[in-house]
Amino acid sequence: MRQPAGRSPRRSGGERKPREERWAELIEVATQIFYEKGYDGASLQDIADRLGMLKGSLYYYIQSKEDLLFDVISTVHKDGLAVVRARSEIEGDPLQRLENVIRGHVEHTCRHLVPTAVFLHELSSLPIDRREEILGSEHAYQGVFRDLVHEGQAAGQVRPDLDPRLAALSILGSTNWVYRWFRPGGEFSPEQIGGEMAEMAIRGIATDEALRSRAS
């Protein structure tokens, strides 16, 4: 059963937090509320109550509930994208870098289950143009995986019969699903899951020669 975060006590005027700190807290609380109740079931009053502030005060930061969902999902996407981009830049051949990216994506997902769930469940609640604004015209997150598959084909490490976009979607589809069954403190650690899922993905797309090279 989902457990709500604790409600913040109301603060007097002299105890107001800096705007940046309050904004970060707003995003965190809104993410939790959207997770607990879903976007349609959540209200700005729910979020204001959890923050210990008046509903009207939220409009200092946002214009609507849709704007808040947009900011929440943008934050989740930006944080995850930073992780996979950083992993893709670690020195190595395309398959090594793809392995790093898959590991990073899975580990990040396991450690941020609530934001991941909100992103995957509620992205479709936004209008198409706002979804595209987050994802980018080239789907930047997917693009990190797709580009590495393409580089692997150019290096002779990835099977040439595969479509890079379909391969990227397949990898993301399987790894994204981790959020549905991973349990913190359970039998498998984020690192173990990331390592095994990366190994399975690489074995599914690599050429025989590349697999032999990795084994040696």
Side-chain angles (χ1 to χ4, degrees):
M1 181 176 179
R2 295 172 180 173
Q3 297 296 324
R7 178 180 297 183
S8 302
R10 293 192 182 275
R11 292 171 173 262
S12 67
E15 295 178 302
R16 289 176 183 165
K17 296 181 179 181
R19 189 178 190 281
E20 295 77 11
E21 183 181 350
R22 197 55 155 165
W23 172 251
E25 186 178 16
L26 170 57
I27 292 297
E28 181 179 356
V29 168
T31 302
Q32 184 69 35
I33 294 289
F34 289 146
Y35 174 74
E36 293 167 13
K37 299 190 172 187
Y39 174 69
D40 291 335
S43 69
L44 291 180
Q45 188 64 61
D46 294 328
I47 294 166
D49 288 345
R50 188 72 59 85
L51 284 164
M53 63 193 296
L54 296 173
K55 176 182 174 182
S57 299
L58 291 177
Y59 293 105
Y60 175 70
Y61 302 93
I62 59 168
Q63 295 183 347
S64 66
K65 188 173 79 165
E66 181 185 298
D67 283 341
L68 184 54
L69 179 65
F70 176 88
D71 288 325
V72 164
I73 289 180
S74 293
T75 299
V76 177
H77 184 262
K78 178 185 68 177
D79 291 347
L81 182 59
V83 169
V84 296
R85 279 180 169 166
R87 290 294 189 107
S88 74
E89 293 170 359
I90 295 175
E91 186 175 353
D93 63 44
L95 278 186
Q96 291 172 329
R97 290 160 56 214
L98 180 59
E99 180 180 357
N100 289 333
V101 165
I102 296 170
R103 284 175 177 268
H105 174 66
V106 171
E107 291 171 16
H108 182 77
T109 296
C110 290
R111 294 191 174 99
H112 299 84
L113 295 177
V114 169
T116 297
V118 172
F119 179 87
L120 294 174
H121 290 177
E122 305 298 349
L123 179 64
S124 60
S125 298
L126 291 171
I128 292 176
D129 61 328
R130 304 206 80 181
R131 284 181 245 165
E132 291 179 347
E133 186 177 346
I134 293 170
L135 299 176
S137 60
E138 297 298 322
H139 285 233
Y141 205 107
Q142 178 194 128
V144 175
F145 293 78
R146 185 184 63 240
D147 291 348
L148 285 171
V149 173
H150 183 74
E151 288 181 35
Q153 288 177 324
Q157 293 184 306
V158 173
R159 288 163 38 203
D161 58 306
L162 297 179
D163 182 280
R165 180 170 178 269
L166 288 179
L169 287 171
S170 176
I171 293 169
L172 275 172
S174 61
T175 53
N176 282 344
W177 199 247
V178 168
Y179 89 98
R180 296 285 293 182
W181 53 262
F182 173 72
R183 295 293 179 269
E187 181 180 0
F188 304 111
S189 69
E191 292 80 6
Q192 182 181 358
I193 296 170
E196 293 201 16
M197 295 197 82
E199 180 65 20
M200 287 187 285
I202 296 301
R203 285 186 173 277
I205 66 172
T207 61
D208 291 341
E209 183 180 353
L211 289 176
R212 285 194 296 270
S213 178
R214 284 170 63 86
S216 62

